[in-house]
Amino acid sequence: SPCPTCLPAPWLTADIGTATADSKGTYSSGVFTLASSRATIGGTSDEFRFVYQTLSADREIIARVASLTNVSGNLAGVMMRKTLNPGSEFASTLINSGGSVKAIYRTSLNASSSNASGNTPTLPFWVKVKRVGTSYSMWQSADSGGSPSGWTRVGSSITISPMTGSVYMGLVVSSAADGALATSTFTSVTVTGAATPTPSSTPTSTPSPTPTP
């Protein structure tokens, strides 16, 4: 019978940065659950749990962040990323528990990240990253009866020249401090232009940061 916590195809999961035994990325009844005890997203190197798939065209990923461990500095949201290496270029829209929505991004390999602040969210809350060529924009919306109430951009659109062709996109969670587990749940995860995924019958393991076919 189908595995109740397997990720729907074509989703995969990995730790970015240091792998830990308590991190996870699972799926059940329309809910993605991610956990990580590594910190953080930003600076010149990232550590977090990633549930991802690849894209090679203009897309946007949308997710409703339903819950996040309420410790200031925990991060959860959506990301597009050039590679699975810790210092990769990326663009993300993240909820900062106890703070504002953050658009965090890195435009060059192993460079320092930049960020812009959005609203102070009340969960559930919606986040989005949109790609048009090498232009990336980060978006936020409050929840209204299970749907976005209205999208507003967080900061300005940015150009990430190395992020052409195939990139990774997906859901992320990162802890405020190494060793402290942060857990987040996501619902209504959609990728424009992608087929509706169906649950896999094979459990998803915890791979190293190398994409699994």
Side-chain angles (χ1 to χ4, degrees):
S1 60
C3 168
T5 59
C6 291
L7 291 172
W11 296 98
L12 300 169
T13 188
D15 283 309
I16 305 302
T18 305
T20 59
D22 54 0
S23 66
K24 67 178 181 179
T26 62
Y27 173 88
S28 181
S29 302
V31 179
F32 289 87
T33 301
L34 279 69
S36 176
S37 58
R38 302 300 297 181
T40 184
I41 298 171
T44 59
S45 182
D46 311 313
E47 293 195 307
F48 62 93
R49 188 67 177 187
F50 199 19
V51 169
Y52 65 92
Q53 58 178 274
T54 58
L55 70 94
S56 57
D58 294 345
R59 293 284 187 268
E60 61 183 28
I61 179 170
I62 297 171
R64 182 177 182 259
V65 181
S67 67
L68 174 60
T69 304
N70 188 23
V71 173
S72 181
N74 286 346
L75 299 171
V78 292
M79 177 183 290
M80 294 187 182
R81 190 173 187 89
K82 178 63 177 176
T83 74
L84 300 180
N85 294 325
S88 174
E89 305 88 342
F90 73 91
S92 65
T93 309
L94 306 175
I95 288 174
N96 176 15
S97 185
S100 63
V101 174
K102 295 288 187 182
I104 304 178
Y105 54 93
R106 181 181 298 119
T107 58
S108 300
L109 180 65
N110 297 324
S112 295
S113 64
S114 301
N115 70 85
S117 296
N119 296 338
T120 299
T122 298
L123 298 183
F125 198 82
W126 293 79
V127 289
K128 174 171 68 173
V129 174
K130 181 177 181 179
R131 172 189 178 178
V132 179
T134 57
S135 177
Y136 292 82
S137 56
M138 290 70 78
W139 300 80
Q140 63 183 356
S141 175
D143 182 79
S144 178
S147 299
S149 63
W151 291 104
T152 58
R153 193 172 61 198
V154 184
S156 302
S157 297
I158 57 169
T159 298
I160 308 180
S161 298
M163 285 179 61
T164 61
S166 181
V167 301
Y168 299 92
M169 66 177 173
L171 312 173
V172 303
V173 67
S174 183
S175 178
D178 288 343
L181 191 67
T183 302
S184 183
T185 58
F186 300 80
T187 62
S188 302
V189 177
T190 58
V191 177
T192 60
T196 301
T198 55
S200 166
S201 60
T202 303
T204 301
S205 61
T206 304
S208 62
T210 301
T212 304

